[in-house]
Short mmCIF file of all heavy atoms in Angstrom, two decimals:
data_model
loop_
_atom_site.label_atom_id
_atom_site.label_comp_id
_atom_site.label_asym_id
_atom_site.label_seq_id
_atom_site.Cartn_x
_atom_site.Cartn_y
_atom_site.Cartn_z
N PRO A 35 52.39 -55.48 -173.13
CA PRO A 35 51.60 -54.28 -173.04
C PRO A 35 52.07 -53.40 -171.83
O PRO A 35 52.30 -53.95 -170.69
CB PRO A 35 50.13 -54.71 -172.75
CG PRO A 35 50.13 -56.14 -173.34
CD PRO A 35 51.50 -56.73 -173.14
N LEU A 36 52.09 -52.12 -171.96
CA LEU A 36 52.55 -51.23 -170.87
C LEU A 36 51.63 -51.37 -169.68
O LEU A 36 52.08 -51.21 -168.49
CB LEU A 36 52.65 -49.74 -171.36
CG LEU A 36 53.76 -49.51 -172.37
CD1 LEU A 36 53.51 -48.01 -172.92
CD2 LEU A 36 55.07 -49.54 -171.67
N ASP A 37 50.37 -51.52 -169.89
CA ASP A 37 49.38 -51.52 -168.88
C ASP A 37 49.20 -52.98 -168.17
O ASP A 37 48.38 -53.19 -167.33
CB ASP A 37 48.01 -51.02 -169.24
CG ASP A 37 47.39 -51.69 -170.35
OD1 ASP A 37 47.79 -52.79 -170.78
OD2 ASP A 37 46.46 -51.03 -170.92
N PHE A 38 49.97 -53.93 -168.77
CA PHE A 38 49.93 -55.38 -168.43
C PHE A 38 48.49 -55.90 -168.39
O PHE A 38 48.12 -56.78 -167.60
CB PHE A 38 50.53 -55.51 -167.01
CG PHE A 38 52.09 -55.21 -166.96
CD1 PHE A 38 52.49 -54.01 -166.40
CD2 PHE A 38 52.92 -56.14 -167.44
CE1 PHE A 38 53.82 -53.65 -166.29
CE2 PHE A 38 54.31 -55.78 -167.39
CZ PHE A 38 54.68 -54.61 -166.80
N GLY A 39 47.62 -55.36 -169.15
CA GLY A 39 46.29 -55.89 -169.32
C GLY A 39 45.31 -55.27 -168.22
O GLY A 39 44.16 -55.71 -168.11
N LYS A 40 45.87 -54.39 -167.35
CA LYS A 40 45.05 -53.85 -166.32
C LYS A 40 44.04 -52.93 -166.82
O LYS A 40 44.09 -52.42 -167.89
CB LYS A 40 45.92 -53.09 -165.30
CG LYS A 40 47.06 -53.87 -164.71
CD LYS A 40 46.68 -54.63 -163.45
CE LYS A 40 47.86 -55.25 -162.90
NZ LYS A 40 47.64 -56.42 -162.25
N LYS A 41 42.91 -52.76 -166.08
CA LYS A 41 41.80 -51.90 -166.54
C LYS A 41 41.64 -50.70 -165.51
O LYS A 41 41.96 -50.74 -164.34
CB LYS A 41 40.53 -52.66 -166.62
CG LYS A 41 40.65 -53.78 -167.64
CD LYS A 41 39.41 -54.35 -168.05
CE LYS A 41 39.51 -55.53 -168.98
NZ LYS A 41 39.26 -55.18 -170.39
N GLU A 45 37.81 -50.17 -168.58
CA GLU A 45 38.50 -50.10 -169.87
C GLU A 45 39.94 -50.19 -169.74
O GLU A 45 40.57 -49.99 -168.74
CB GLU A 45 38.18 -48.64 -170.50
CG GLU A 45 36.76 -48.43 -170.79
CD GLU A 45 36.25 -49.19 -171.94
OE1 GLU A 45 37.08 -49.52 -172.86
OE2 GLU A 45 35.03 -49.36 -171.99
N GLU A 46 40.63 -50.70 -170.83
CA GLU A 46 42.06 -50.82 -170.82
C GLU A 46 42.65 -49.53 -170.63
O GLU A 46 42.04 -48.48 -171.02
CB GLU A 46 42.54 -51.39 -172.18
CG GLU A 46 42.15 -52.84 -172.42
CD GLU A 46 42.57 -53.23 -173.86
OE1 GLU A 46 42.49 -52.46 -174.82
OE2 GLU A 46 43.11 -54.37 -173.93
N ILE A 47 43.84 -49.45 -169.97
CA ILE A 47 44.42 -48.18 -169.67
C ILE A 47 44.92 -47.61 -170.92
O ILE A 47 44.55 -46.46 -171.24
CB ILE A 47 45.56 -48.36 -168.60
CG1 ILE A 47 44.95 -48.81 -167.24
CG2 ILE A 47 46.31 -46.98 -168.41
CD1 ILE A 47 45.96 -49.19 -166.19
N GLY A 49 45.72 -50.00 -173.84
CA GLY A 49 45.39 -51.00 -174.82
C GLY A 49 46.53 -51.89 -175.06
O GLY A 49 47.75 -51.55 -174.74
N SER A 50 46.23 -53.08 -175.55
CA SER A 50 47.27 -54.06 -175.71
C SER A 50 48.30 -53.80 -176.75
O SER A 50 49.43 -54.43 -176.76
CB SER A 50 46.60 -55.49 -176.06
OG SER A 50 45.97 -55.27 -177.36
#
Side-chain angles (χ1 to χ4, degrees):
L36 291 169
D37 60 13
F38 297 102
K40 305 272 186 211
K41 299 195 183 260
E45 294 289 330
E46 294 177 315
I47 297 171
S50 61

